[in-house]
Amino acid sequence: METHVQSPGSLILLVLVASLVVLLAYRLARLYRPESATSAKGWLKVDPAELKAGSYGRLALISGLTLFLELLMIRWITSEIAVFAYFKNFVLVACFLGFGLGCMLCRRRIHVNVMIAPLLLLTIILTAPVSPLHNMIAGLPGLLGTGSEVHIWGVPAAPTNWTGMLLAMLFVVPLFAEIALVFVPCGQLVGWSLENARNGVTAYSVNVLASLAGIGLSRLWAC
């Protein structure tokens, strides 16, 4: 039974990349501390109180783009990291968690870089033309697959390399946080629009219809 063996260099790179992802997630999460609400304004910061209340057009646009981005993220991550093609709920739950956190924080200042920075980092990690990086990502299924009750790629159900599996989890858990952070600003915009809508039922109807339109757009994009 053949298994994918990670080289020491790939494992070291895995730790380094995981540390970078953890650092970025920590720095971005600190922006939403209560004391940060009084920080100076910047071009990447938006105060929800300055947004026009009851704008159904903005609500429709953000709702549609959020669902489009969510499905795009699911397809992207699952195609780049093969093991998540079998565990698509990993990305789905991360998107929902980030969106829900954004709705909860809708009265806090919106930080656009909380969406941009994780997307840039994920793009670099998954598409950079660096062979050791690609080898590290290609080796994740062999490390994570040992924790599944289903035999994936010939990997036995019982973990044979606990150290490797723990190292892989050190990458996967921060990756979950990065994906969730992307959707926090989206949730803030939608939550603020719903909370300040003139008619809650109408606003929610716009949200649902625009979300369906975003799903339809993603289907057309995939064709």
Side-chain angles (χ1 to χ4, degrees):
M1 186 176 294
E2 184 179 355
T3 60
H4 185 95
V5 180
Q6 286 274 24
S7 66
S10 295
L11 294 177
I12 293 174
L13 182 61
L14 182 65
V15 174
L16 292 176
V17 173
S19 301
L20 178 61
V21 175
V22 169
L23 178 62
L24 179 62
Y26 173 73
R27 293 296 298 272
L28 293 176
R30 283 172 59 89
L31 295 176
Y32 287 102
R33 294 179 302 170
E35 56 267 28
S36 298
T38 58
S39 60
K41 294 183 179 180
W43 69 278
L44 289 176
K45 301 176 184 178
V46 180
D47 191 343
E50 298 177 355
L51 299 176
K52 180 181 178 182
S55 175
Y56 294 130
R58 183 182 64 238
L59 175 60
L61 178 62
I62 297 301
S63 299
L65 289 179
T66 297
L67 261 294
F68 176 79
L69 179 61
E70 178 185 316
L71 294 174
L72 188 67
M73 185 73 73
I74 291 173
R75 293 192 180 100
W76 180 40
I77 298 296
T78 54
S79 63
E80 295 294 337
I81 305 179
V83 71
F84 296 133
Y86 289 82
F87 304 108
K88 292 185 178 180
N89 285 342
F90 173 87
V91 184
L92 179 65
V93 171
C95 296
F96 281 167
L97 175 62
F99 185 82
L101 287 174
C103 291
M104 184 182 69
L105 299 171
C106 67
R107 298 182 183 180
R108 301 277 180 90
R109 182 165 293 167
I110 300 169
H111 298 269
V112 181
N113 54 335
V114 171
M115 172 184 287
I116 296 175
L119 283 176
L120 286 177
L121 181 60
L122 289 172
T123 301
I124 293 172
I125 292 174
L126 298 178
T127 63
V130 180
S131 297
L133 196 58
H134 287 293
N135 293 336
M136 178 202 76
I137 294 173
L140 285 175
L143 297 175
L144 295 174
T146 58
S148 172
E149 296 180 357
V150 181
H151 288 223
I152 303 175
W153 300 291
V155 179
T160 57
N161 184 358
W162 286 101
T163 302
M165 185 176 180
L166 290 176
L167 287 173
M169 291 300 296
L170 287 177
F171 174 78
V172 170
V173 173
L175 177 65
F176 181 92
E178 293 291 328
I179 296 172
L181 283 170
V182 171
F183 290 88
V184 171
C186 298
Q188 286 182 282
L189 287 170
V190 172
W192 175 261
S193 298
L194 290 174
E195 188 176 77
N196 294 275
R198 294 184 297 271
N199 186 302
V201 175
T202 302
Y204 185 72
S205 300
V206 170
N207 173 249
V208 173
L209 292 175
S211 299
L212 292 175
I215 295 173
L217 181 61
S218 71
R219 297 288 295 177
L220 293 175
W221 182 276
C223 292

